[in-house]
Amino acid sequence: MDKKSLLYCFGIPLLLLLWSCWQCSRLSSSDAWVIIEWGTTQHSVLTPFSRLYLAGVSVILSLIAVLASAGTVALSFYSTQQARISTEHLVRAFTRCRKMLPLLMATLMTAIGFALVTIMLYELLWLLTLKDTPTLNIKLFGMLIVVTGWLIFMVLSTLFLLKRCYVRMQSQERRVYGGSVTEDEAPGLWHWVRELAQRGQAKVPDNIVVGLFQGFYVTALPLRLETGLRLTGNTLYFPLTLAAFLDKDETAAVIGHELGHFAGQDTAYTLHFAGIYSGMKRSLSHFYQNLKFCGWLERIALYPSLHIGLWFYRRFDETVSRWSRMRELAADSAGARASSPQALASSLLRYTTLEMVLKEPVQRFFDRQLVTTNLVDTLFAVLHEQGRLDVAVALGCRLSHPTDTHPTTRERLEQVQVPLDDALMARASRQVSEADYARLHRLFADLPALCRTLTAQVQNALRANHHAYVEQLQELVAQAGDTVEVLLKKSILWGNIALTAVIGLAAGGLLILNSVWGVTFLQFGIVVGGLVIMALICALSSWGMYTRVRQPLLVLHPQAIESYQLSAPLPLEKIEATDTGKYRGQPCLELYWQQGYQPPKCIVGKLLRNFIFDASTRKVIITFPGGFTQGEEGEKMTLGELHTRIRDAITAAWARKRLNEI
């Protein structure tokens, strides 16, 4: 656990515990004063005992918060140790954690939030015991009442948010564009799948769904087809747009790989874990996004719960990634047994390349620029014209999957021990074949009719949603807002100037004292010389800061970010992700540019630059030393607000590009 998470998860509860104990110690002296001053009236009894009760409750709540954090850490260490034994242990450990983690997060959040409430109520009652009530105490009393009410509302509303996030962790049905085929509609396909399942000692799927998009996969999650039909049980998704361009052995290897997930211990993982775990990831991400830019008081109450949840997920994710890699490699062995290692290796290269090659024509189809009644036929014609495939680009890629991750293609080839020789490359890169396409026809009773039906379903959905989609894009364009100028605050400049003046005056004063009254001391010249050098350094620093604050650090336009520090504007459409963080202790924005884009260069010196480019992570870091303001009038603007404006502008730039394309 990093230092920041430790501070939130244990530092805040311990600090509240110490404060509560201090409040308990304050009762011994105040009780006597109240009784002497007010006698034995109700006021003299109620106030000290109420404070004693509140202090005790806050101590208990703080202890509960500490125990909740410690319990979560202990549960995480125990569960991850168990999860490393086998996938069966992983499923059991995660099932236990999925039930306990939201409860522990809710306990931690509630305990810290209401510990703060009881501490503030204690201080409110303490103000009532004061003999004199100046105006300052009255204002403080009112402010504490408002803050206490806000804390109660905030904790309760966040608990409801956590409850909604917990619901998202449950296994939910997936929506799929495709059609479920029966044995009458696809007798050859069903017979072949049964044969491959028997060969790999795997379960025969309950359903086979054929579609035009995504890759081959199996799932045990409930599926909702576009027609409204709901499927339960084990389902194999069979994409016609990929199967048409693989030969029989390659397709058998791919199906054998997918059915391998329904064999042995991997069955429990596939049936009960993968979908729910991805749901947990989305839930914690949703919870984090809702609390990311809250104020300091909310951070004290809510961030411990958030940090403990994210830390828990990161620890579990290491184990899940390890098993995911092992699962895919084991499934590759099943695919090799169902066909052959050479066919599996060829299918990996060809499959990955086809996914990349088909992306552009499929996107044109979604944009309604590719007119067709049979998408599979049209894509076959497109690929046939292109000739041989360039499969070398697939070696460092990973196959896409709706709920899982894969090792790189090169790592998978090494696992099946097939040499990456000319014969393999020639087979994988061959031109699409009419023989392969004809073989696909023999698996179905009427493949052309099925393709036309699936194509028409997607086109009808695109046609129905087109108007709403255009309106949504137009709304995204409109939300970008006007141009925003961001300037660094001038306070840091005045601080540098003041420091320069003080050091310069000190050096000048010593020289005057020495020349007029002969004042001197040991190493007088070294001290004066050091002060002069420090004054020059501060003066240069002030000049550098002046060059940065006299003009906008950046100007956010609807389509680009401009800055005097950059050799060219940074186009928003080239930014694929954004985040906030810290760079050397300073708040910063992080913008990630797209693969293949060459960003502009920073044209100022290293000591003056606020734009730091990291080519290894494709990230540009924008720092704001001393803070920043908006516009020449110096309007206040937080880092979260600027991040939101930039994110909205990036979304609007993407929407504007999509409108031009469609």
Side-chain angles (χ1 to χ4, degrees):
M1 185 178 289
D2 55 45
K3 294 180 180 179
K4 188 175 182 180
S5 297
L6 277 174
L7 178 63
Y8 275 116
C9 299
F10 290 98
I12 290 177
L14 289 174
L15 182 61
L16 293 177
L17 179 62
L18 292 175
W19 195 343
S20 303
C21 293
W22 175 62
Q23 287 182 332
C24 290
S25 68
R26 289 162 54 190
L27 287 166
S28 58
S29 59
S30 62
D31 287 348
W33 184 89
V34 172
I35 294 174
I36 292 172
E37 180 70 20
W38 298 97
T40 58
T41 63
Q42 184 180 7
H43 183 282
S44 64
V45 177
L46 177 62
T47 303
F49 278 97
S50 299
R51 290 167 58 202
L52 178 63
Y53 173 77
L54 289 172
V57 170
S58 60
V59 169
I60 294 173
L61 290 174
S62 302
L63 284 172
I64 291 175
V66 173
L67 291 175
S69 293
T72 306
V73 171
L75 176 66
S76 173
F77 278 104
Y78 173 75
S79 299
T80 51
Q81 288 294 330
Q82 290 292 307
R84 291 191 181 101
I85 299 175
S86 67
T87 54
E88 186 178 352
H89 283 79
L90 170 65
V91 173
R92 285 206 299 264
F94 179 75
T95 302
R96 177 176 59 248
C97 294
R98 186 170 63 88
K99 296 176 180 178
M100 297 184 65
L101 179 61
L103 296 177
L104 289 169
M105 291 176 64
T107 301
L108 180 60
M109 185 190 308
T110 305
I112 291 179
F114 284 101
L116 282 170
V117 170
T118 54
I119 286 173
M120 291 187 179
L121 289 176
Y122 178 102
E123 301 301 337
L124 284 171
L125 292 177
W126 174 74
L127 288 175
L128 293 176
T129 64
L130 298 179
K131 185 175 181 180
D132 298 321
T133 309
T135 304
L136 178 62
N137 284 348
I138 294 175
K139 293 180 179 179
L140 184 60
F141 185 85
M143 183 185 71
L144 286 176
I145 289 180
V146 173
V147 172
T148 303
W150 168 247
L151 266 175
I152 295 174
F153 169 77
M154 178 188 60
V155 171
L156 293 177
S157 61
T158 309
L159 283 174
F160 282 110
L161 172 64
L162 183 61
K163 181 181 179 181
R164 292 196 301 271
C165 291
Y166 176 70
V167 172
R168 293 183 175 212
M169 292 186 191
Q170 311 305 317
S171 177
Q172 299 178 356
E173 65 182 23
R174 289 180 50 81
R175 296 191 65 88
V176 177
Y177 277 96
S180 176
V181 292
T182 63
E183 292 201 44
D184 292 336
E185 295 170 320
L189 178 60
W190 272 100
H191 176 77
W192 193 28
V193 168
R194 283 196 175 91
E195 179 184 331
L196 293 174
Q198 183 178 9
R199 193 182 305 172
Q201 298 180 345
K203 291 183 178 181
V204 177
D206 302 304
N207 315 290
I208 297 180
V209 174
V210 296
L212 302 176
F213 314 108
Q214 298 185 314
F216 289 85
Y217 66 86
V218 291
T219 182
L221 294 176
L223 298 181
R224 177 75 66 177
L225 302 183
E226 188 62 24
T227 57
L229 178 64
R230 188 175 188 269
L231 301 177
T232 57
N234 301 339
T235 301
L236 168 66
Y237 182 83
F238 188 89
L240 299 174
T241 48
L242 289 172
F245 313 126
L246 302 174
D247 64 25
K248 181 179 179 180
D249 292 336
E250 291 168 342
T251 308
V254 175
I255 296 177
H257 167 97
E258 297 301 337
L259 295 179
H261 290 306
F262 284 143
Q265 289 185 340
D266 206 19
T267 304
Y269 186 103
T270 304
L271 289 174
H272 306 294
F273 181 79
I276 298 176
Y277 185 73
S278 61
M280 176 184 175
K281 181 178 180 179
R282 292 192 300 269
S283 301
L284 289 176
S285 176
H286 178 74
F287 191 56
Y288 171 72
Q289 292 299 329
N290 277 271
L291 301 182
K292 189 174 182 180
F293 297 112
C294 59
W296 66 270
L297 186 61
E298 292 95 326
R299 292 184 181 184
I300 293 176
L302 307 179
Y303 263 39
S305 178
L306 176 62
H307 274 264
I308 203 75
L310 292 175
W311 175 79
F312 188 98
Y313 172 78
R314 284 194 294 267
R315 274 193 58 84
F316 227 97
D317 196 48
E318 295 174 1
T319 305
V320 172
S321 298
R322 171 175 170 267
W323 279 116
S324 179
R325 172 186 171 84
M326 295 176 64
R327 288 176 59 251
E328 291 303 324
L329 296 178
D332 281 343
S333 299
R337 290 194 302 271
S339 181
S340 68
Q342 291 74 20
L344 176 68
S346 176
S347 68
L348 289 174
L349 290 170
R350 191 169 179 82
Y351 186 162
T352 308
T353 306
L354 285 169
E355 280 197 329
M356 293 186 289
V357 172
L358 292 175
K359 187 176 297 184
E360 189 272 334
V362 168
Q363 186 60 54
R364 289 176 53 215
F365 175 75
F366 283 142
D367 294 339
R368 303 201 303 168
Q369 296 176 353
L370 184 63
V371 180
T372 178
T373 58
N374 186 329
L375 182 60
V376 182
D377 271 349
T378 303
L379 293 180
F380 179 86
V382 170
L383 290 182
H384 194 271
E385 289 180 2
Q386 291 184 3
R388 300 183 66 85
L389 302 176
D390 181 13
V391 297
V393 297
L395 292 173
C397 300
R398 292 175 170 86
L399 287 174
S400 61
H401 193 279
T403 60
D404 216 339
T405 58
H406 295 77
T408 64
T409 303
R410 186 183 295 275
E411 292 172 324
R412 298 173 70 178
L413 291 177
E414 292 174 354
Q415 173 68 18
V416 296
Q417 298 180 347
V418 176
L420 194 62
D421 54 19
D422 294 339
L424 175 62
M425 298 296 286
R427 177 180 181 178
S429 63
R430 70 186 184 277
Q431 185 181 20
V432 296
S433 168
E434 294 182 0
D436 294 336
Y437 195 17
R439 175 196 52 79
L440 184 65
H441 281 69
R442 292 192 290 271
L443 298 178
F444 297 87
D446 191 350
L447 180 62
L450 179 60
C451 292
R452 287 193 296 269
T453 300
L454 294 175
T455 302
Q457 286 180 359
V458 177
Q459 287 177 330
N460 291 336
L462 291 174
R463 192 179 300 111
N465 296 330
H466 179 72
H467 183 67
Y469 182 55
V470 170
E471 288 185 346
Q472 184 181 13
L473 291 177
Q474 291 172 343
E475 291 176 0
L476 292 175
V477 171
Q479 77 178 13
D482 300 327
T483 299
V484 178
E485 291 187 352
V486 176
L487 296 89
L488 293 176
K489 286 185 177 180
K490 297 181 180 180
S491 56
I492 189 171
L493 170 63
W494 297 119
N496 277 4
I497 292 175
L499 182 61
T500 304
V502 169
I503 297 175
L505 289 173
L510 288 176
L511 289 174
I512 292 173
L513 290 173
N514 178 263
S515 61
V516 177
W517 291 288
V519 175
T520 187
F521 49 81
L522 186 63
Q523 297 183 339
F524 177 86
I526 295 177
V527 171
V528 173
L531 289 174
V532 171
I533 293 174
M534 289 176 61
L536 290 173
I537 293 174
C538 290
L540 291 174
S541 176
S542 299
W543 174 254
M545 183 57 63
Y546 171 71
T547 61
R548 288 197 280 181
V549 302
R550 68 176 180 175
Q551 56 186 321
L553 173 62
L554 65 87
V555 180
L556 175 62
H557 294 290
Q559 296 182 346
I561 294 176
E562 292 184 354
S563 174
Y564 70 93
Q565 297 189 11
L566 299 179
S567 59
L570 183 62
L572 295 177
E573 64 180 29
K574 299 299 183 182
I575 304 299
E576 63 180 11
T578 64
D579 201 357
T580 59
K582 286 193 174 182
Y583 179 78
R584 296 179 179 177
Q586 299 289 342
C588 70
L589 280 174
E590 298 174 347
L591 308 179
Y592 296 83
W593 65 80
Q594 296 176 358
Q595 182 77 35
Y597 170 67
Q598 186 64 37
K601 297 180 180 180
C602 194
I603 56 177
V604 297
K606 290 185 178 181
L607 297 178
L608 300 177
R609 64 181 53 178
N610 296 90
F611 289 78
I612 298 96
F613 290 88
D614 185 354
S616 61
T617 57
R618 294 186 286 111
K619 175 175 66 175
V620 54
I621 301 172
I622 309 175
T623 61
F624 304 94
F628 60 92
T629 59
Q630 176 184 352
E632 296 181 356
E633 298 179 357
E635 299 178 16
K636 291 184 178 180
M637 191 179 198
T638 65
L639 184 63
E641 292 171 344
L642 177 59
H643 179 239
T644 301
R645 293 291 295 271
I646 291 178
R647 192 168 53 189
D648 289 345
I650 292 173
T651 304
W654 170 83
R656 191 179 298 106
K657 180 181 178 182
R658 294 290 298 128
L659 284 172
N660 293 332
E661 291 173 347
I662 62 177

